[in-house]
Amino acid sequence: MDVEDSSRYKILTIDDEAYIRQSIRTYLEDCEFTVFEAENGKKGIEVFDREHPDLVLLDLRMPEMDGLQVLEALRDKAPDIPLVVASGTGNISAVVEALHLGAWDYILKPIEDLNVLYHSVQKCLKESRLKKENQQYQERLEELVIERTRELKKSEERYKAIFEYTGTAAIIIEPDDSISMVNSKFAELAGMARQDIVDKKKWVDFVSPGDIQVMRNYFEARVNLKTANFAPMQYEIKFTGNNGEEKFVYVSLGAIPGTDKAVVSLLDVTEKKKAEQRWRSLENQLKKAQKMEAIGTLAGGIAHDLNNILSPILGYADMIMRSSDPSTTVFQRSEKIQKAALRAADLVSQVLTFNRRNEEEKRIVRIHPVLKEVIKLLRGSIPSTITIVDKIDRNCRSVEADPTQIHQVIMNLCTNAYHAMEEKGGILTVGLNEIILSPSDIVAYASPECRPGTYLALEVSDTGCGMTEDIMERMFDPYFSTKEEGKGTGLGLATVYGIVKSCKGIIRVKSKVNQGTCFMVLLPVAGDENTAEKGEIHGKSQNAGSGERILVVDDDKDIALMCQEGLETLGYQVTSFFSSLEALDFFKREGHCIDLVVTDQTMPGKTGFDLAKEILSIRKDVPIILCSGYAGAVSKGKIEEAGIDSFIMKPVTVEALSKKIQQLLK
């Protein structure tokens, strides 16, 4: 079948051989086609863009830009234009690739029978024409379908489009509260099939009881009163689906004009509400963290000043006690001053808990003063319906622990006991005594990591609500709490457990529902270290000097003079300075005679770290003790970097300072 009116078709032939182009052109023009030529692929594309041919006949092997590249470029430009490739018999693989790239047909070269060319051109042009006609028919058919669909939509229920395509859950409510129509979104929200809702359920079945009256009030205002404004009114309610789970939804209620019906759309905002709650929780945590950071900064500054104040108090009280007979009133009064100052120092240490980043090093500590402090705090804060019973043995020996952590353990246990009796009152008993655990006791306690020996038994018991077995199994789990929101984080007992284990101790619990709970914490006694503590107060100094020359540097004049006087009474030769710069000048001149340096950290001019570095650059072998009223800015890394031998936290007694000096001068 011939293509009608060949003269209306334009054909572009691209070939690098002129005689082939000429023969093809002559033949096709005889067939009344309009023919254009190009000698290579690049020019062929230029002619294509200029003349817009109806068919392209191209060779595969051409210089500059081969036929495959041209084919790919033309396919992207005009995918509906027929592309016919000509290839030699030895280039079949290229022909296959050309067909994959979108060629409509191919002709083997040399073309011995030009009728083959004519037939291929006819076929491709016919296919192109039919494809265009089919596309036009398809477009027209689509237009007709759209037009018919538009007409059908006009005849369908108008509410269906609203219900199905609004993007929110929607229902129509009848005057008797029944639901006469639902969309798929509402069925999904309710967790039910449409047929189980329509004409079988009322809107009250999906609204939380507390919000039913709210909905009725809105119905009365918007539907029954026939207000002139038919715009929906939006508010929030709790929606209850088939599974009983409550969800937060925004409800838009509108009256349907001319009827007694109402249309209601619901937007699920549960995740939005949860996100807001999470955001508020994060905000609260940030506020708490910022508050604690501010308190920590304030505590650090106060602690530094208080420790500097307490240092001379402790030092002079210590000197008075050493120079007085223990039976005299002067000694006894000085001893009370020393105890009060030590208690104040411990209190400052507790305040510094707010600003600690790392766990303190454990030291020898007596527990009963901490217990007394906690009981004193509790008496002023718990209700009078709770009686505190003190069963503390004041003669118990010391343990090796962090005093702040021991305070935390006692406070957590006592707070839990208080909460257990908060409603009905009861008796809170705090006890402390020494017990001896045998190997069989260790096995009975199921604590093989602990050793037999003497332990301090700390008991905190209450007569409160007690605990069930399942709660006791989980009580040490982090974030597990039986307290209502705002009264506990679930970290208290987990922290207690971790602290006791770090001290190589044991924790045991006994509890009965409605009868009370008893926590027993067993901590190993720290040998005879407590004897040394007592010796610091009452015994004759075992750390006296032998004429060693000590350089003391502190910008607080009272502290420097106290250290000088106290160390001199112990047999040292002391030179003191109130300026780090003056002390450095002195050391440059007389440093060869100095046996040890005691320096404060926070000083104008040069800090203790800087002074230590300067001194060690002059003499590498001189021992240096760094003192500070605030440990927040002092780290082990900084101390080692500066080459400092020892760090002592203020306030410090002259006896303790002398003991450290003797250790470094050995």
Side-chain angles (χ1 to χ4, degrees):
M1 296 177 62
D2 293 343
V3 177
E4 57 185 43
D5 193 8
S6 299
S7 61
R8 51 191 282 258
Y9 292 101
K10 296 184 289 185
I11 297 176
L12 169 62
T13 176
I14 307 173
D15 200 305
D16 59 330
E17 296 186 41
Y19 74 93
I20 294 178
R21 294 198 309 273
Q22 183 61 42
S23 62
I24 292 175
R25 178 171 187 163
T26 302
Y27 178 76
L28 292 177
E29 284 180 345
D30 289 343
C31 297
E32 299 185 352
F33 290 104
T34 302
V35 181
F36 301 95
E37 295 181 32
E39 63 269 24
N40 57 53
K42 186 175 180 181
K43 289 189 176 181
I45 292 175
E46 293 176 359
V47 175
F48 182 91
D49 291 336
R50 184 176 66 249
E51 301 297 340
H52 305 291
D54 300 294
L55 183 143
V56 178
L57 177 66
L58 71 155
D59 186 22
L60 289 181
R61 300 181 64 180
M62 294 183 292
E64 292 190 34
M65 189 175 187
D66 64 25
L68 294 177
Q69 293 174 313
V70 175
L71 180 64
E72 189 171 1
L74 295 182
R75 181 198 61 186
D76 294 336
K77 285 176 175 288
D80 295 330
I81 299 300
L83 304 173
V84 179
V85 299
S87 174
T89 56
N91 202 16
I92 297 302
S93 60
V95 172
V96 173
E97 186 175 355
L99 292 174
H100 286 161
L101 288 174
W104 288 41
D105 199 0
Y106 73 94
I107 301 171
L108 289 176
K109 293 174 65 177
I111 307 174
E112 297 178 354
D113 185 359
L114 290 176
N115 286 327
V116 173
L117 172 63
Y118 181 72
H119 177 75
S120 177
V121 169
Q122 279 187 323
K123 181 188 71 171
C124 291
L125 288 175
K126 182 178 180 181
E127 289 179 2
S128 176
R129 177 173 55 81
L130 291 175
K131 186 175 181 180
K132 289 178 181 178
E133 291 175 355
N134 184 59
Q135 184 175 355
Q136 292 172 354
Y137 177 78
Q138 185 71 22
E139 289 174 356
R140 177 55 184 161
L141 184 61
E142 288 177 359
E143 290 176 0
L144 291 174
V145 170
I146 291 172
E147 186 178 347
R148 297 292 186 269
T149 302
R150 189 180 298 115
E151 293 175 358
L152 287 174
K153 283 185 178 179
K154 291 180 181 178
S155 64
E156 289 179 353
E157 294 184 31
R158 296 180 181 179
Y159 301 123
K160 182 177 180 180
I162 299 173
F163 274 49
E164 289 303 322
Y165 309 116
T166 187
T168 61
I171 58 174
I172 290 180
I173 299 176
E174 299 295 325
D176 63 352
D177 292 343
S178 64
I179 299 173
S180 60
M181 187 179 293
V182 303
N183 68 355
S184 56
K185 287 285 186 180
F186 184 89
E188 182 182 342
L189 183 66
M192 301 175 65
R194 292 195 201 193
Q195 59 269 25
D196 295 330
I197 301 175
V198 176
D199 298 330
K200 296 179 181 178
K201 293 286 185 180
K202 296 186 176 182
W203 64 263
V204 294
D205 297 327
F206 300 100
V207 179
S208 294
D211 292 328
I212 291 178
Q213 190 57 46
V214 175
M215 286 277 287
R216 290 197 182 281
N217 292 340
Y218 278 107
F219 277 6
E220 183 68 23
R222 306 297 291 173
V223 180
N224 297 336
L225 294 181
K226 304 292 184 182
T227 55
N229 182 13
F230 291 108
M233 185 178 294
Q234 190 176 80
Y235 51 95
E236 183 181 308
I237 65 167
K238 290 181 181 178
F239 180 91
T240 305
N242 190 41
N243 58 2
E245 179 185 358
E246 280 192 344
K247 298 180 180 179
F248 294 94
V249 297
Y250 281 153
V251 174
S252 293
L253 170 67
I256 301 176
T259 71
D260 292 332
K261 300 178 181 181
V263 58
V264 177
S265 64
L266 305 94
L267 179 63
D268 187 356
V269 293
T270 306
E271 290 304 318
K272 179 176 178 292
K273 296 283 287 187
K274 289 180 179 178
E276 289 174 352
Q277 291 172 357
R278 288 193 295 268
W279 178 254
R280 283 193 293 269
S281 175
L282 289 173
E283 270 190 326
N284 291 334
Q285 291 180 35
L286 179 60
K287 288 178 182 177
K288 288 179 182 178
Q290 291 173 336
K291 181 177 74 173
M292 296 303 289
E293 185 177 355
I295 292 174
T297 303
L298 177 63
I302 293 173
H304 179 269
D305 293 340
L306 284 177
N307 283 331
N308 279 341
I309 294 170
L310 290 171
S311 291
I313 295 174
L314 272 173
Y316 285 117
D318 185 51
M319 284 187 278
I320 294 172
M321 290 168 64
R322 282 200 306 274
S323 61
S324 305
D325 191 309
S327 62
T328 63
T329 304
V330 172
F331 181 92
Q332 293 169 3
R333 289 176 177 173
S334 299
E335 186 179 33
K336 290 179 180 179
I337 292 172
Q338 188 186 58
K339 287 182 178 179
L342 288 172
R343 183 179 174 188
D346 285 340
L347 184 59
V348 172
S349 179
Q350 292 177 30
V351 171
L352 282 176
T353 304
F354 288 115
N355 206 36
R356 286 199 175 99
R357 295 292 183 267
N358 299 314
E359 182 180 318
E360 281 194 348
E361 293 182 2
K362 294 180 175 61
R363 59 184 175 90
I364 304 303
V365 61
R366 304 191 74 178
I367 293 181
H368 77 266
V370 184
L371 276 171
K372 289 169 59 180
E373 189 69 34
V374 172
I375 290 175
K376 182 179 178 181
L377 290 171
L378 287 173
R379 288 191 193 279
S381 59
I382 65 175
S384 57
T385 54
I386 298 176
T387 303
I388 299 178
V389 177
D390 182 344
K391 291 186 178 181
I392 301 171
D393 182 357
R394 269 67 176 174
N395 297 317
C396 288
R397 286 177 284 175
S398 305
V399 296
E400 186 178 2
D402 178 347
T404 304
Q405 289 185 339
I406 292 298
H407 184 279
Q408 190 176 5
V409 168
I410 298 169
M411 183 59 79
N412 277 337
L413 293 179
C414 290
T415 302
N416 278 351
Y418 149 56
H419 284 153
M421 301 181 289
E422 192 171 10
E423 293 184 3
K424 299 181 180 179
I427 300 173
L428 170 59
T429 304
V430 181
L432 181 69
N433 62 289
E434 289 186 11
I435 64 172
I436 298 175
L437 295 184
S438 65
S440 58
D441 293 328
I442 295 296
V443 174
Y445 281 121
S447 299
E449 71 276 10
C450 298
R451 297 179 179 180
T454 306
Y455 284 75
L456 253 62
L458 166 65
E459 274 192 46
V460 177
S461 61
D462 63 73
T463 58
C465 57
M467 294 183 287
T468 60
E469 289 186 6
D470 59 323
I471 292 177
M472 289 181 66
E473 288 178 359
R474 299 187 59 195
M475 62 184 171
F476 294 121
D477 291 352
Y479 304 106
F480 173 74
S481 177
T482 58
K483 299 173 185 177
E484 63 185 63
E485 187 174 353
K487 286 196 173 183
T489 62
L491 288 173
L493 288 179
T495 302
V496 168
Y497 182 84
I499 293 172
V500 172
K501 284 295 182 183
S502 72
C503 296
K504 299 179 181 179
I506 305 169
I507 184 167
R508 287 293 175 266
V509 187
K510 294 180 181 179
S511 185
K512 289 186 178 180
V513 178
N514 298 325
Q515 293 187 29
T517 303
C518 176
F519 281 86
M520 177 183 286
V521 175
L522 300 175
L523 299 174
V525 170
D528 297 327
E529 299 268 356
N530 54 318
T531 306
E533 289 181 355
K534 294 179 181 178
E536 290 182 7
I537 299 176
H538 303 292
K540 193 68 177 175
S541 173
Q542 301 297 319
N543 299 293
S546 303
E548 295 91 340
R549 290 198 62 181
I550 309 297
L551 174 62
V552 174
V553 189
D554 199 308
D555 63 319
D556 190 311
K557 187 176 180 180
D558 291 335
I559 296 177
L561 293 177
M562 179 274 295
C563 288
Q564 179 175 353
E565 184 179 347
L567 292 175
E568 285 178 345
T569 60
L570 290 176
Y572 299 97
Q573 299 180 54
V574 182
T575 303
S576 60
F577 286 92
F578 315 135
S579 165
S580 57
L581 297 176
E582 292 179 6
L584 180 60
D585 290 338
F586 170 79
F587 192 87
K588 288 178 180 178
R589 298 190 309 270
E590 306 290 337
H592 61 280
C593 299
I594 299 299
D595 297 305
L596 184 139
V597 178
V598 178
T599 177
D600 185 31
Q601 161 59 13
T602 307
M603 296 183 293
K606 284 186 181 294
T607 65
F609 285 130
D610 295 334
L611 179 61
K613 289 180 179 179
E614 294 275 1
I615 288 174
L616 290 172
S617 68
I618 300 170
R619 254 189 71 193
K620 293 183 179 180
D621 61 334
V622 62
I624 298 177
I625 297 175
L626 180 70
C627 302
S628 178
Y630 173 49
V634 181
S635 67
K636 185 177 180 181
K638 284 187 177 181
I639 292 174
E640 291 177 352
E641 181 185 351
I644 295 169
D645 297 275
S646 182
F647 170 75
I648 297 179
M649 184 72 184
K650 292 181 180 179
V652 60
T653 64
V654 175
E655 181 70 23
L657 183 58
S658 178
K659 181 179 179 181
K660 181 62 68 175
I661 291 172
Q662 290 300 311
Q663 289 175 358
L664 293 177
L665 291 179
K666 285 182 180 179

